[in-house]
Amino acid sequence: MTSTKNFFLYGCAMIVAFSCIAYELLLGSYATFLMGASIFQYSLVISLMMLSMGLGALFSQRIRLNHYLTFLWVEMALAWVALLAVPLMYISFSLNWATTPVVILFVVLLGGGIGMEIPLLSQMADSKESLPAILFSDYLGGFFGGLAFPLLLFPHLGFFSIGALLAVFNSWVSVSFLLVFAKKLTVGKRWITFLTLLTLIVCLVELKFAEDMRLALESYYFGLNRN
């Protein structure tokens, strides 16, 4: 593997780590917004996500599929989960139905997928010496994600838009990954290409209409119609 492709893996590690921290803050903040008890909600989200990440890392070692194909599936799955998380949390709260279990479900799904990312990227690197650089990129991306959420994302975007934007990040990683490592995909390349592009398009559409969705849900469940 060329050094250029190694640097691409480092970039992927940084982006997915950025999204990871932002997901934690998004779910913790939105759970607090819906149900209060900020200390409990944040503690639940962060601790459960860390556990799920560990389980995801362990599970990644048992997968016998092509690592490149597995990584693409993980990124697409994370994008779809991120798209659904905030709207379904809102709906469950509006219906007064199992809001905490819904939060836990999405934390576990996101954490499990996130935990698989770095082990998979590490297995694609050309040598063990690449692992420290991948981990550094991971920690650096987490640093930027931790700062970006309170300074850039939360002040300027709503919860629905933040979730959609993070889904765009994951889907964009999958598209760029597909372009760079197309030759590594030997099975189902047409289907994976179609699903990858479809995921990106759906994420972009939801990002554009995220606030319209929020207003529609508020109007439907609570008769609110705010601009």
Side-chain angles (χ1 to χ4, degrees), residues 7 9 53 83 94 105 117 138 144 161 173 222:
F7 280 115
L9 293 179
M53 289 168 63
L83 283 179
S94 302
L105 172 64
E117 291 173 323
D138 178 61
F144 287 132
S161 295
V173 167
F222 300 108

Side-chain angles (χ1 to χ4, degrees), residues 34-90:
L34 293 176
M35 297 180 288
S38 59
I39 294 177
F40 173 77
Q41 300 299 341
Y42 270 106
S43 298
L44 176 66
V45 168
I46 293 174
S47 58
L48 189 56
M49 183 167 284
M50 295 298 291
L51 173 62
S52 302
M53 289 168 63
L55 294 174
L58 286 176
F59 180 71
S60 68
Q61 304 300 313
R62 297 180 176 273
I63 296 177
R64 296 294 179 260
L65 296 176
N66 180 300
H67 297 318
Y68 299 88
L69 182 61
T70 303
F71 185 80
L72 280 173
W73 282 116
V74 169
E75 292 308 300
M76 282 192 287
L78 286 172
W80 284 100
V81 173
L83 283 179
L84 295 172
V86 171
L88 290 184
M89 287 169 62
Y90 183 89

Side-chain angles (χ1 to χ4, degrees), residues 203-224:
C203 291
L204 290 172
V205 170
E206 180 164 333
L207 177 61
K208 180 175 178 59
F209 296 104
E211 289 307 301
D212 293 331
M213 180 189 299
R214 177 184 64 83
L215 291 172
L217 288 174
E218 288 181 350
S219 177
Y220 180 80
Y221 286 109
F222 300 108
L224 300 176

Side-chain angles (χ1 to χ4, degrees), residues 74-117:
V74 169
E75 292 308 300
M76 282 192 287
L78 286 172
W80 284 100
V81 173
L83 283 179
L84 295 172
V86 171
L88 290 184
M89 287 169 62
Y90 183 89
I91 291 172
S92 68
F93 172 78
S94 302
L95 296 175
N96 194 27
W97 182 81
T99 306
T100 298
V102 170
V103 172
I104 291 174
L105 172 64
F106 283 109
V107 170
V108 170
L109 291 176
L110 287 171
I114 290 166
M116 296 175 65
E117 291 173 323

